[in-house]
Amino acid sequence: IKLKKMKALRTVTLLLILPTLVFCQEKKWTVGIAGAPSFYTLKSEPGFNHQFTTKSSYCGGVDLSFHFSKRSELRSGLYYSKLGYKVEYSYIFQQPSDPYIPRSADVTIGYLEVPVLYVFSFIAKEKFVVYAETGIVLSKIISSDYKTTFEDNSIRSSGSLGSFLLSLQFGMGLRYNINEKFGIKIEPQYRFFMTDIDMVMRNHPTAINGTIGITYNLTKKKLATSIVK
């Protein structure tokens, strides 16, 4: 009698948790870490010929993907991005040593970024996955070092940085699955900024990232039906 009660209890327990198990198995989650060197294209606003030179720039962080199906997923995450550049201004002025006319600037900016991307896999094999991604990236300044040299030789910040950026991101990716849990991915990405990094630019900067990362599959293996035996 006791054995029958135990078997019945196991059966009832399985029936209660089965819907949750099936839902969790169908909805696959993947977490990853990634980093990339970044190459920016910066130009001055129309009518000016300021000369921009980018310094070493990069981004890196963690991401989380929710898989709707084998080929479709939604990805977000949290990244840190560093951008550095120098600029030689070409303003025309009449009064020498003008304290309001900038001569040059040396800028380093740190951003906290949240991407929201849709990913579609053209090829979804067991070992190799080839995909395209598109979406937006929201960026917020968390640190900045803006040294502007003015015509009177004073050095101070010009205060022309935008505190919030919105950019569109497009990319292609290749992921190699080492096993059921771990994978390696390579993602060339292109970003087009809808807002200006610096008010002196006003010309929609662009960037290319060469992202390399590691992915980890959070989905648990299916439970064997032998639980009820």
Side-chain angles (χ1 to χ4, degrees):
I1 298 175
K2 185 180 294 186
L3 182 61
K4 291 183 178 180
K5 288 184 178 180
M6 290 296 296
K7 188 173 181 180
L9 180 61
R10 290 181 182 179
T11 304
V12 172
T13 303
L14 181 62
L15 291 175
L16 290 174
I17 67 173
L18 185 59
T20 303
L21 293 175
V22 172
F23 180 80
C24 293
Q25 290 162 6
E26 291 178 351
K27 305 304 180 182
K28 181 180 178 182
W29 292 88
T30 304
V31 66
I33 58 174
S38 301
F39 306 94
Y40 287 82
T41 299
L42 309 176
K43 298 180 181 180
S44 57
E45 62 180 315
F48 293 91
N49 192 31
H50 307 315
Q51 299 299 314
F52 289 89
T53 303
T54 56
K55 299 188 293 183
S56 176
S57 303
Y58 62 86
C59 65
V62 297
D63 53 51
L64 182 66
S65 296
F66 175 77
H67 297 254
F68 298 105
S69 65
K70 186 177 181 180
R71 294 183 179 271
S72 180
E73 67 184 84
L74 184 66
R75 181 189 302 168
S76 187
L78 192 63
Y79 279 72
Y80 173 77
S81 177
K82 179 184 176 183
L83 164 62
Y85 63 90
K86 295 182 178 180
V87 55
E88 296 292 333
Y89 296 107
S90 62
Y91 290 115
I92 299 175
F93 55 94
Q94 296 179 346
Q95 181 181 350
S97 302
D98 191 326
Y100 298 104
I101 300 297
R103 181 192 304 159
S104 62
D106 189 342
V107 184
T108 302
I109 316 169
Y111 294 97
L112 191 63
E113 300 188 323
V114 177
V116 181
L117 306 172
Y118 174 72
V119 182
F120 180 80
S121 300
F122 295 100
I123 301 175
K125 302 294 185 179
E126 181 179 353
K127 286 292 185 180
F128 287 96
V129 180
V130 180
Y131 54 89
E133 61 180 27
T134 183
I136 62 174
V137 180
L138 308 175
S139 307
K140 172 67 177 178
I141 285 184
I142 58 174
S143 65
S144 64
D145 184 10
Y146 199 134
K147 296 183 177 69
T148 303
T149 302
F150 291 83
E151 287 298 328
D152 65 346
N153 293 320
S154 64
I155 300 177
R156 59 186 189 274
S157 175
S158 67
S160 61
L161 290 178
S163 60
F164 177 81
L165 301 179
L166 173 63
S167 57
L168 302 178
Q169 180 168 300
F170 310 92
M172 296 291 294
L174 170 65
R175 185 174 73 248
Y176 173 73
N177 296 320
I178 300 173
N179 52 41
E180 292 182 352
K181 289 295 184 181
F182 289 96
I184 300 174
K185 65 179 181 179
I186 300 175
E187 295 177 355
Q189 300 165 339
Y190 173 81
R191 289 177 63 179
F192 177 82
F193 289 83
M194 304 297 292
T195 50
D196 300 303
I197 295 173
D198 191 326
M199 297 303 177
V200 178
M201 298 174 191
R202 297 187 180 276
N203 204 11
H204 297 296
T206 61
I208 294 177
N209 298 333
T211 304
I212 299 176
I214 298 173
T215 62
Y216 179 77
N217 179 13
L218 295 176
T219 305
K220 295 182 180 180
K221 294 182 179 180
K222 296 181 178 179
L223 297 180
T225 56
S226 59
I227 296 178
V228 296
K229 292 183 180 180

